[in-house]
Amino acid sequence: MYVCCYKEKNWSTLKSSYQEVVDESDGCGIKFSVIVVSSAFEGKPLIHRHRSIHSLLEEELKTIHAFKQKTLTPAEWEGKKEMIKSSTS
Amino acid sequence: MTPFRLYKSIRSFSTTVDKIANLVKKNKVVVFMKGVPDSPKCGFSNAVVQILRMHDVKYDAHDVLEDESLRQGIKDFSNWPTIPQVFINGEFVGGCDILLEMHKNGELVAELKKVGITSALSENEGSQEKKSKD
């Protein structure tokens, strides 16, 4: 299930080419996972990529209890998307 | 907020920061988690415990559920909004997602080696732990 406020987030600040936000708590909104694919992640360690997601979702994270994220460059996404999609669906 | 209360809250904030700064340096690997390693109270904390167990790493664990000032303090300290949090050699390395990724890609073995810890999964050195499962 997708939640609109997350969809309306300004993902373009991350130069994101693909993002997926899944509410894993059946709509009650406390457990989320996100996948973000962005060229802005090139050459950046995972910790920096995650920090940029934290900044974007700063307000939401105050109320989310459980949060998982995958942050990939377009090249990494090409290599892994089948695996990731099957593991999250 | 009265000046006195403001002073008190600033003082308690800095005490917590000092306390955490000491805690993260007390062992080579330090984990802030929900629950204790034998009984984690959150799936993500449990995942971190399981990963470190696979690598047979000895570490300090601090239960943030036992101390509200620690629970908020550790988030402020590392500027990271979620728990668990893992520190290696006093440096914040990440939460559950990052540790899991480091475990999969062999980086964790390398980071542990840098601080003089031989991971139980490091028998084939340099081979990026091909044997570990994804």
Side-chain angles (χ1 to χ4, degrees), chain A residues 26-78:
Chain A
D26 289 329
C28 81
I30 55 163
K31 188 178 176 189
F32 279 91
S33 75
V34 301
I35 299 172
V36 181
V37 180
S38 169
S39 55
F41 294 149
E42 306 274 3
K44 285 205 183 145
L46 209 48
I47 188 165
H48 291 184
R49 299 178 188 189
H50 282 209
R51 280 199 197 278
S52 59
I53 306 291
H54 291 157
S55 313
L56 188 70
L57 299 178
E58 193 181 356
E59 282 308 307
E60 289 77 2
L61 281 170
K62 288 176 185 162
T63 53
I64 293 173
H65 172 74
F67 184 67
K68 274 196 289 193
Q69 53 177 320
K70 286 195 186 295
T71 48
L72 305 148
T73 63
E76 289 166 348
W77 177 238
E78 276 314 306

Side-chain angles (χ1 to χ4, degrees), chain B residues 18-92:
Chain B
D18 288 347
K19 191 177 119 187
I20 292 172
N22 283 327
L23 286 181
V24 301
K25 289 182 203 136
K26 276 209 170 147
N27 205 336
K28 286 178 180 171
V29 180
V30 178
V31 177
F32 295 83
M33 59 179 287
K34 293 180 179 173
V36 294
D38 284 339
S39 174
K41 291 183 176 157
C42 153
F44 299 122
S45 290
N46 183 43
V48 164
V49 167
Q50 298 302 331
I51 291 169
L52 293 176
R53 186 171 295 157
M54 276 189 264
H55 290 260
D56 197 22
V57 174
K58 301 282 175 282
Y59 57 94
D60 283 358
H62 300 282
D63 182 359
V64 302
L65 298 179
E66 289 293 313
D67 182 349
E68 185 56 37
S69 71
L70 187 62
R71 184 175 186 170
Q72 187 53 47
I74 190 64
K75 294 179 184 178
D76 297 334
F77 181 81
S78 37
N79 187 26
W80 194 260
T82 53
I83 287 162
Q85 297 190 9
V86 180
F87 289 77
I88 297 180
N89 225 21
E91 278 189 39
F92 176 64

